[in-house]
Amino acid sequence: MVASFPGLLSRGELLNLLHNSTTVSRVHQVHAQLITRALFSDPFVASRLLSTICELSAHVPASYADLVFSQSHQPSTFSWNTIIRFHVRSSNPNKAVLLFARMRQAGVLTDHYTYPFVLKACALLAGLEEGAAIHGDVLKKGLGEDPFVMNGLISLYCKGGEIAAARKLFDGSRSRDLVSWNSLMAGYVSRGDTAEAGRLFDAMPERDAFSWAVLIDGYGKKAGDVSRARDLFDKMPNKDLVCWNSMIDGYVGLGMIRAARELFDVMPERNVISWSILIDGYVKHGDPKEALELFQSMLGQGVRPDVISAAGAISACSQLGALDQGRWIHSYVKKHNILLDVVVETALIDMYMKCGSLDLARLLFDEMPRKSVVTWSVMIVGLGMNGFGCEAVELFYQMERRGATMDDLTFLGVLTACTHARLVCEGREIFDRMRRDFRVEPKVEHYGCLVDLLGRAGRLQEAREVIETMPGKPTSSLWGSLLASCRTHRCVELAEVVVEKLKKLGADDGGVYVIMSNIYAAEGMWNQVWKMRKLMRDRGMKKETGRSVIEVDGTIHEFVHGDCSHPHDEEIYEVLGSLSNAMP
DNA sequence: ATAGGGTTAG
């Protein structure tokens, strides 16, 4: 590598070369040269090397930056600032704060360049105490009117929820600039006070694209008022990419996919974020097929996907059971060196699980260096869903032994796994331990699981007691679940009680009477059956049509209840018939 | 100072 340089370069030439390095491997080459030329001990050279590395922060492993920093002799304020900035930028605020503390311990001078980055780190950590101490420091040094430092403080207080403190600084400042206005406005937006954000917007002496984007996002996504967002969007003079994306995301947030799509289709330029927003919109609002098509056209237009857009597409595959496409996307991202992170890997595991490919899921799971709560939960849910309830519970216990934190969805997963595997005692025990041992407050959904678990096992009275003694108001879905169990276990009396409860809650839709009439039919109570049917007719009730989708060999098939238009229609119904015969 | 990602079952 070193040989690629012609002859020996002078200090100046190397510095120049360094200045023009735009890739990590180029920096490595220059680094090697600096060492062979014994120039690395030159503090100025070392600091230039470090800052070049930090310029490329997105592509540089933190360990490399740390190494170069630790090898420099008596790093200057500039070098300290650089390494702190590096860690802030690579979203490692902990490290940045730590380095700042060491910087002060070492007695190195801190300056107006140091503070904005440390403050940013504190803001990311919501470290208000730390930040307030730094505020004191800033004042002592007389840096309170430096716009960068002050803006750092404003956004620190905004992120920490102390908007009043931010406002006080803002109001009392002589040197506030456009960024200060924008920061404060963003602060109001993030705490949901779009009205005050709007007032600031109107009062601003000048506005830039940030100002508009903050408020478009505030009205649209944060406040759910897309028409105001749209007004603003239409009024904006030179719309930039960000505000198009924010506006589209505003529509997506409310499920207005058509409107989102219309804007997407006419926007002058798109980036991978625009595509992600829409892909995710389709995923979240029930059209995973369209999401995948969109992902493919994105690739077709030569837009390089990143982890986030891939996560959306993979999610779509999970919903569709599209194993082939899911595997294809997996190998695509690997082939194109798109770094997988915990989130996509979790999405992949979920996809493999939902597509019934337990081996591939397990393989990924075991090889993951870092797992999140979601990763564990997805695995537990998947095992349960695929009929491995015992393994799911076992994994839950393993999670406990590892001391991993659990959240409400972990419990939802393990409880549903128990339901599937009829593990009534385990489920009951885990439910009881939720609050006691894990300090996770059970929500209605957890009560729903418990009711389901007990009800399916035929312990109908216990299930009813759970509903009637739970804290808070039981929802109709709890009674609905109990009603389903009443049908399974042919308990007419309780079913009638439940229907009364549902009626009181105004939740007696078509589905309820369908079940009730089935219950009567099973007992041969035909008079009651007719009564139910008549009731439904009189009220014009209909049960929603059942439907499902699955991919086979790359083609996506959709099935709708009662539909006979599939080319393999007869065979399908034959298999279906034999399956339901085989089921207990 | 502004835009995008993973989990329940029915």
Side-chain angles (χ1 to χ4, degrees):
Chain A
M1 277 217 249
V2 180
S4 67
F5 293 120
L8 282 182
L9 296 171
S10 70
R11 180 180 183 270
E13 284 169 324
L14 279 167
L15 279 176
N16 203 17
L17 207 55
L18 197 56
H19 184 72
N20 294 321
S21 298
T22 48
T23 63
V24 185
S25 61
R26 193 66 174 174
V27 175
H28 276 297
Q29 290 172 6
V30 182
H31 188 181
Q33 274 280 317
L34 292 173
I35 290 170
T36 47
R37 304 270 284 102
L39 278 171
F40 187 69
S41 54
D42 179 333
F44 183 73
V45 173
S47 73
R48 295 312 317 172
L49 175 64
L50 186 65
S51 77
T52 306
I53 290 169
C54 295
E55 288 300 315
L56 297 168
S57 60
H59 313 277
V60 177
S63 53
Y64 184 44
D66 284 332
L67 183 80
V68 171
F69 178 74
S70 66
Q71 283 177 352
S72 41
H73 306 290
Q74 296 204 342
S76 58
T77 296
F78 178 85
S79 292
W80 280 99
N81 290 347
T82 308
I83 190 74
I84 288 173
R85 189 183 56 172
F86 173 86
H87 286 292
V88 174
R89 280 211 201 147
S90 15
S91 30
N92 196 356
N94 273 311
K95 188 74 191 262
V97 171
L98 195 87
L99 279 164
F100 176 71
R102 288 203 355 228
M103 181 179 182
R104 303 199 40 199
Q105 257 168 30
V108 180
L109 182 77
T110 51
D111 63 9
H112 67 287
Y113 218 78
T114 321
Y115 290 101
F117 294 109
V118 193
L119 288 169
K120 171 94 194 206
C122 291
L124 289 170
L125 292 167
L128 265 183
E129 272 178 44
E130 195 102 44
I134 294 172
H135 191 173
D137 220 40
V138 163
L139 294 178
K140 241 186 285 166
K141 292 211 181 259
L143 292 171
E145 282 296 327
D146 180 287
F148 283 94
V149 177
M150 193 197 52
N151 290 334
L153 284 165
I154 289 177
S155 77
L156 168 82
Y157 287 120
C158 286
K159 289 250 164 61
E162 295 279 351
I163 194 91
R167 187 61 187 248
K168 207 174 135 202
L169 264 179
F170 176 86
D171 286 338
S173 159
R174 279 171 285 119
S175 52
R176 64 188 181 205
D177 59 7
L178 188 49
V179 179
S180 323
W181 284 90
N182 289 342
S183 307
L184 190 63
M185 206 166 71
Y188 281 111
V189 163
S190 71
R191 69 202 307 272
D193 191 350
T194 33
E196 186 58 28
R199 278 191 287 276
L200 279 175
F201 183 84
D202 291 336
M204 288 175 83
E206 49 163 346
R207 305 180 185 103
D208 64 0
F210 278 81
S211 331
W212 290 88
V214 167
L215 204 56
I216 289 173
D217 177 63
Y219 284 141
K221 191 137 192 220
K222 305 264 172 21
D225 187 351
V226 275
S227 59
R228 284 192 91 160
R230 184 59 192 256
D231 268 358
L232 210 59
F233 177 80
D234 289 336
K235 275 194 209 122
M236 182 172 174
N238 297 306
K239 301 180 193 24
D240 68 342
L241 186 51
V242 175
C243 81
W244 279 92
N245 286 345
S246 293
M247 191 61 234
I248 293 175
D249 199 38
Y251 283 124
V252 165
L254 287 179
M256 299 166 72
I257 301 293
R258 290 274 304 274
R261 181 61 183 257
E262 270 167 33
L263 273 190
F264 179 86
D265 285 337
V266 299
M267 67 196 291
E269 51 159 346
R270 307 179 185 115
N271 62 3
V272 66
I273 297 181
S274 330
W275 290 92
S276 301
I277 290 169
L278 202 59
I279 289 173
D280 204 55
Y282 282 116
V283 169
K284 292 230 162 69
H285 295 98
D287 197 347
K289 218 167 141 177
E290 186 62 34
L292 275 185
E293 272 162 33
L294 215 54
F295 183 71
Q296 291 299 344
S297 34
M298 178 178 96
L299 299 188
Q301 295 192 15
V303 178
R304 189 175 192 268
D306 59 6
V307 266
I308 298 181
S309 50
I314 292 163
S315 242
C317 294
S318 314
Q319 286 188 27
L320 290 166
L323 180 58
D324 295 341
Q325 295 210 54
R327 291 185 71 162
W328 184 84
I329 295 170
H330 189 181
S331 60
Y332 183 95
V333 293
K334 277 205 292 200
K335 201 168 72 200
H336 288 76
N337 291 323
I338 294 158
L339 275 190
L340 301 184
D341 61 12
V342 194
V343 177
V344 237
E345 283 183 319
T346 304
L348 280 166
I349 291 177
D350 181 54
M351 183 271 293
Y352 284 130
M353 276 300 193
K354 297 251 165 70
C355 296
S357 190
L358 304 213
D359 294 345
L360 288 174
R362 188 88 223 188
L363 205 68
L364 247 174
F365 183 79
D366 290 339
E367 282 176 355
M368 270 174 83
R370 244 184 65 226
K371 300 174 179 64
S372 71
V373 211
V374 185
T375 317
W376 286 95
S377 307
V378 159
M379 200 67 191
I380 290 170
V381 167
L383 284 168
M385 216 168 45
N386 282 285
F388 294 92
C390 295
E391 287 78 358
V393 174
E394 184 38 53
L395 199 65
F396 174 83
Y397 290 137
Q398 196 182 321
M399 198 178 166
E400 186 187 357
R401 286 194 297 275
R402 294 254 185 115
T405 44
M406 302 173 181
D407 63 10
D408 49 341
L409 280 149
T410 318
F411 285 95
L412 225 41
V414 71
L415 289 172
T416 54
C418 289
T419 303
H420 281 132
R422 306 269 190 276
L423 299 167
V424 185
C425 298
E426 279 83 355
R428 180 98 231 199
E429 193 193 310
I430 290 172
F431 182 89
D432 292 337
R433 290 181 58 204
M434 247 182 101
R435 187 191 283 119
R436 206 179 59 219
D437 296 350
F438 302 98
R439 318 216 154 261
V440 178
E441 201 57 37
K443 295 203 220 167
V444 199
E445 291 91 334
H446 298 98
Y447 283 95
C449 282
L450 188 60
V451 169
D452 212 29
L453 180 74
L454 294 166
R456 280 174 197 260
R459 292 154 72 158
L460 299 175
Q461 285 309 325
E462 270 176 82
R464 179 184 178 177
E465 268 164 42
V466 168
I467 300 179
E468 284 176 337
T469 60
M470 68 177 273
K473 232 171 52 198
T475 59
S476 57
S477 69
L478 292 177
W479 292 113
S481 155
L482 184 57
L483 184 64
S485 294
C486 289
R487 173 170 64 175
T488 316
H489 296 283
R490 305 178 56 164
C491 186
V492 184
E493 297 79 34
L494 186 55
E496 285 172 338
V497 175
V498 173
V499 171
E500 282 310 307
K501 301 272 187 194
L502 283 166
K503 221 188 260 175
K504 258 190 217 140
L505 288 169
D508 50 335
D509 60 5
V512 169
Y513 293 105
V514 170
I515 297 179
M516 201 59 227
S517 81
N518 287 341
I519 293 174
Y520 286 133
E523 305 305 312
M525 300 163 74
W526 302 111
N527 278 338
Q528 301 295 331
V529 173
W530 304 139
K531 219 168 112 186
M532 291 294 117
R533 303 236 167 123
K534 183 171 181 307
L535 200 141
M536 285 179 69
R537 251 199 326 276
D538 292 349
R539 297 210 205 157
M541 286 170 164
K542 255 201 198 152
K543 193 179 169 296
E544 267 203 53
T545 326
R547 57 180 69 226
S548 69
V549 273
I550 192 171
E551 173 217 80
V552 179
D553 295 330
T555 316
I556 289 167
H557 303 260
E558 183 164 11
F559 297 93
V560 181
H561 180 81
D563 175 36
C564 303
S565 63
H566 195 275
H568 297 290
D569 189 49
E570 282 187 21
E571 290 152 81
I572 291 169
Y573 277 105
E574 210 179 293
V575 173
L576 213 53
S578 65
L579 275 176
S580 49
N581 281 335
M583 276 194 275

